Amino acid sequence: MDLNVTEVDHSSVAQTAAVTVILSLASLLGIPGNILVIWIITFNMQKQKSPTVVLILNLAIADVLVLISLPLWIYSFVHGWPFGQVFCKLLTFIIHCNMYVSVFLITVMSAERFVAVTYPFTSQRWRKVTVVRVVVLCVWILALLFAIPVLMYKELDNDENGQPQCMYGTFSSETQEILCTMMQFIVAFVIPFSMMSVFYMCIGKKLKGMVFKRHNRTGMVIGMVVVVFFMCWMPYHAVNLVSVIALMTKTNKAISDMLYDIYDYGILVAGALVFLNSCANPVIYAFAARNIRNSFQVSAFGKLFDQMTYAESWKKSKDASTEKKSFTLEELNSLQNI
């Protein structure tokens, strides 16, 4: 009996240590990294910002809003949550907003790449600053709306040591828990990544048929952002699905208890990986910028974002047909590879 208690204690300590390390790493890398991205795009861009760069700016803003809360979460894992239920609901709401904002923005970025590569001239009719602002506003509004359910079921709960923790939800019924979890899984994962998969399959098919090929830096950066987002968020959604299956198999106590154990051990680490995603994007931009000058320099970030912006020469043309006739083959290929 004492041996089992010791094993549980050791497991809990190891779990807390792993979560603390992940959150500390995300905080140390993510906060200055995203602030640097915001500062460069806002004040150091040499050209008018492209739709992709505007979307990257909003993605960095969403990540900063989440990362600045990390010191509070790190403290709560060790000492419990002393900040009250209202603050617990508020911070959890912000984190869920970030989840929806991030996946919606990345989906829009993928759609923008698809249109730019597949229909490079037609896309200019809507690739304008006013249109991008409307799209970004819609993304934030939708994220706020989809995150509202967390305000209804998020409650403080005591852990095995009797300390209050802001980690779990208290649902009014099993049906509500299943519906909320499945809505989050479908809206924030299944639909967006299905759309991204279709977009990138079409982009790959289009690029294979091109005669002149150039390095597609923008597509590479967005592709890496998509992959990292998938890797960081997939464990979280998978663990939540385990809890849903556990609820649906409660008639078989052995299977249900086993699934609940998997959920209890996995949710903390999976949740910590979610925060790690918020610090990953600046690292991706840094590697992409390093390829420009073979060494890391802050100015290389600005150069990277400048390269993501269309050249002014063809943007000033009056209509797409005139543009199409006046470009050389190399320029047309460059346009399609942006």
Side-chain angles (χ1 to χ4, degrees), residues 279-305:
C279 78
N281 293 334
V283 177
I284 294 173
Y285 308 147
F287 276 106
R290 185 180 183 276
N291 292 331
I292 296 175
R293 299 194 174 185
N294 296 321
S295 63
F296 175 75
Q297 299 179 22
V298 173
S299 59
F301 270 81
K303 183 67 174 176
L304 170 67
F305 296 135

Side-chain angles (χ1 to χ4, degrees), residues 5-267:
V5 171
T6 302
E7 289 177 351
V8 172
D9 289 341
H10 287 169
S11 175
S12 178
V13 170
Q15 189 181 49
T16 302
V19 170
T20 302
V21 169
I22 293 174
L23 295 185
S24 299
L25 179 63
S27 179
L28 291 173
L29 292 177
I31 294 176
N34 282 288
I35 289 176
L36 179 62
V37 170
I38 294 170
W39 178 72
I40 290 175
I41 293 178
T42 304
F43 300 106
N44 280 24
M45 286 289 295
Q46 299 176 4
K47 301 174 182 177
Q48 183 179 351
K49 301 174 184 64
S50 71
T52 299
V53 172
V54 173
L55 295 172
I56 287 175
L57 172 62
N58 281 269
L59 187 60
I61 293 172
D63 287 337
V64 165
L65 291 176
V66 168
L67 290 171
I68 58 178
S69 70
L70 281 185
L72 300 180
W73 294 109
I74 295 172
Y75 179 88
S76 71
F77 280 124
V78 181
H79 303 288
W81 184 266
F83 309 108
Q85 183 167 298
V86 174
F87 204 43
C88 170
K89 286 179 176 286
L90 177 62
L91 285 188
T92 308
F93 176 76
I94 291 174
I95 291 171
H96 279 74
C97 280
N98 170 74
M99 173 185 66
Y100 288 112
V101 167
S102 297
V103 72
F104 292 165
L105 287 176
I106 295 172
T107 304
V108 173
M109 289 163 66
S110 301
E112 188 271 337
R113 288 298 88 203
F114 165 74
V115 176
V117 171
T118 309
Y119 308 103
F121 299 104
T122 305
S123 67
Q124 300 316 304
R125 297 176 183 175
W126 65 269
R127 296 183 85 257
K128 306 194 183 289
V129 176
T130 53
V131 176
V132 175
R133 288 175 179 172
V134 171
V135 172
V136 169
L137 178 61
C138 291
V139 164
W140 281 96
I141 292 174
L142 285 174
L144 291 171
L145 292 176
F146 280 116
I148 286 177
V150 76
L151 296 174
M152 296 185 290
Y153 64 77
K154 195 66 177 182
E155 302 285 347
L156 287 179
D157 195 10
N158 293 331
D159 59 17
E160 64 274 8
N161 298 319
Q163 294 179 327
Q165 292 289 353
C166 179
M167 291 184 293
Y168 306 104
T170 302
F171 296 90
S172 60
S173 66
E174 293 180 358
T175 301
Q176 183 193 44
E177 182 175 356
I178 292 173
L179 288 177
C180 288
T181 303
M182 291 307 299
M183 182 201 73
Q184 186 181 104
F185 176 64
I186 293 172
V187 174
F189 194 80
V190 175
I191 294 176
F193 278 99
S194 297
M195 294 174 63
M196 289 182 224
S197 300
V198 173
F199 289 146
Y200 277 100
M201 283 191 293
C202 294
I203 290 172
K205 183 177 179 180
K206 179 70 175 180
L207 294 179
K208 281 183 180 180
M210 293 176 61
V211 177
F212 298 97
K213 291 182 174 60
R214 294 179 57 185
H215 183 59
N216 186 4
R217 191 180 302 277
T218 301
M220 177 197 71
V221 170
I222 297 174
M224 291 176 65
V225 169
V226 171
V227 171
V228 171
F229 189 93
F230 178 88
M231 293 173 62
C232 290
W233 278 97
M234 181 58 188
Y236 172 79
H237 290 294
V239 171
N240 279 338
L241 283 180
V242 168
S243 70
V244 171
I245 297 173
L247 283 173
M248 299 175 68
T249 57
K250 291 191 76 172
T251 52
N252 190 323
K253 190 175 185 302
I255 295 178
S256 180
D257 289 346
M258 180 189 67
L259 292 176
Y260 273 123
D261 287 339
I262 294 174
Y263 173 80
D264 289 337
Y265 282 108
I267 190 61

Side-chain angles (χ1 to χ4, degrees), residues 46-50 309-317:
Q46 299 176 4
K47 301 174 182 177
Q48 183 179 351
K49 301 174 184 64
S50 71
T309 302
Y310 282 153
E312 293 296 324
S313 58
W314 57 266
K315 289 175 70 177
K316 294 179 181 178
S317 299

